[in-house]
Amino acid sequence: MEKPVVFQVQHLQKSFGHLAVLKDISLTVHSGQVVSIIGPSGSGKSTFLRCATLLETMDHGTMRYLDDVVCQDTPKGSRYASSGTLRKLRSHFGLVFQNFNLFPHYSVMQNITDAPLYVQKREPKAVLQEATALLERIGLQGKENAYPCELSGGQQQRVSIARALMGQPEILFFDEPTSALDPELTGEILKVIRDLAAQMMTMVIVTHEISFARRVSDHVVFMADGVIVEQGPPDQVIGNPSHPRTKAFLKKLHDGR
């Protein structure tokens, strides 16, 4: 039996001036699925995530989370839901940035509880209990009162992941979560993501860690030049790609090691 659809976008188009960054992107993500998006720099991967998380508006296309419609396509372009509906829809997803984007003047605990307390208006005692348990789960117990400048890059990224999880999202988006980290710290973050995958967290991960994408993903998307060139199971797309563009990209990565 097919699992419910958590996120779906159809025929997404996005341009900046005369530059068409996303030309026709369609993707469906089911509950519990881990989707990795790979591809060369400039292929539109990060712009896709920014459209999916409402940081950019689509020019054309339709998008929905669960049964909630974010925007519908019209001849004049994508028509978005009302601002009130969009505020509600933001609770469906979390986004982990490549450069952490933590509040430098907030402690770890303040960073991860700020939105649940003051945006979602949740009960303070329950939020504190959840945050404490979450920090322990990702190996940051004892760091509740530390500030971002006192943490390693790997620890800061774990705080960023915890902050996203505190919103209780149905789906998590990751934009190159290890690109700002050295190889030793990269392993910390990949372990956290593997643990989330084992707990059936629905995730979309833009990554350059190809071997990790192959191990952790149910579905791999290869993007280039603003389109999805090839997608399917990781053993197919990464292990035995059919499109010449995918083959060339993976060969270049392999030869560059």
Side-chain angles (χ1 to χ4, degrees):
M1 183 177 177
E2 196 170 65
K3 293 183 178 179
V5 172
V6 176
F7 170 77
Q8 184 176 61
V9 65
Q10 294 176 300
H11 306 300
L12 188 163
Q13 297 177 34
K14 177 65 180 178
S15 296
F16 296 100
H18 296 295
L19 178 64
V21 178
L22 299 173
K23 298 169 185 174
D24 187 357
I25 302 291
S26 295
L27 180 66
T28 299
V29 182
H30 296 271
S31 177
Q33 192 174 31
V34 179
V35 176
S36 287
I37 302 178
I38 62 173
S41 297
S43 59
K45 305 184 300 295
S46 291
T47 300
F48 168 72
L49 281 200
R50 290 181 65 82
C51 288
T53 55
L54 306 181
L55 295 174
E56 296 282 357
T57 55
M58 297 159 48
D59 297 332
H60 281 282
T62 63
M63 185 163 67
R64 69 183 176 99
Y65 281 97
L66 303 172
D67 295 324
D68 293 319
V69 176
V70 178
C71 61
Q72 294 179 312
D73 205 16
T74 74
K76 295 183 178 180
S78 292
R79 188 180 75 238
Y80 278 77
S82 68
S83 58
T85 299
L86 292 180
R87 276 196 299 273
K88 172 196 166 191
L89 292 177
R90 290 179 191 278
S91 67
H92 289 323
F93 61 81
L95 174 61
V96 178
F97 299 90
Q98 54 184 303
N99 292 318
F100 323 137
N101 281 27
L102 299 175
F103 293 119
H105 57 294
Y106 278 9
S107 68
V108 167
M109 185 61 79
Q110 287 173 310
N111 262 287
I112 69 173
T113 59
D114 184 68
L117 288 174
Y118 301 110
V119 178
Q120 296 177 327
K121 309 291 187 185
R122 288 164 53 194
E123 200 274 314
K125 184 178 179 181
V127 168
L128 184 61
Q129 288 177 339
E130 182 183 339
T132 301
L134 183 55
L135 289 175
E136 183 173 353
R137 185 172 128 202
I138 63 172
L140 287 176
Q141 63 271 33
K143 297 292 186 181
E144 295 86 351
N145 297 316
Y147 287 85
C149 64
E150 301 173 310
L151 304 176
S152 70
Q155 289 172 328
Q156 289 185 62
Q157 190 60 295
R158 278 185 278 162
V159 175
S160 181
I161 293 170
R163 179 179 59 185
L165 288 170
M166 280 296 295
Q168 300 177 336
E170 278 85 16
I171 183 170
L172 267 185
F173 292 92
F174 293 82
D175 187 7
E176 296 277 14
T178 61
S179 67
L181 305 176
D182 62 39
E184 184 178 354
L185 297 178
T186 292
E188 294 180 17
I189 302 309
L190 299 185
K191 181 183 183 303
V192 172
I193 296 174
R194 280 198 304 272
D195 290 345
L196 291 172
Q199 295 157 22
M200 300 303 291
M201 183 74 207
T202 310
M203 293 183 281
V204 175
I205 308 166
V206 168
T207 183
H208 61 277
E209 300 283 346
I210 303 300
S211 60
F212 172 75
R214 186 171 184 172
R215 289 198 309 271
V216 79
S217 308
D218 306 298
H219 192 80
V220 173
V221 173
F222 173 66
M223 282 181 63
D225 303 317
V227 298
I228 293 176
V229 175
E230 187 170 356
Q231 62 178 313
D235 285 344
Q236 171 194 316
V237 177
I238 298 174
N240 188 29
S242 60
H243 197 283
R245 188 73 178 82
T246 317
K247 291 178 181 179
F249 171 74
L250 293 171
K251 183 178 187 302
K252 185 176 181 180
L253 283 183
H254 185 268
D255 291 348
R257 287 176 185 168

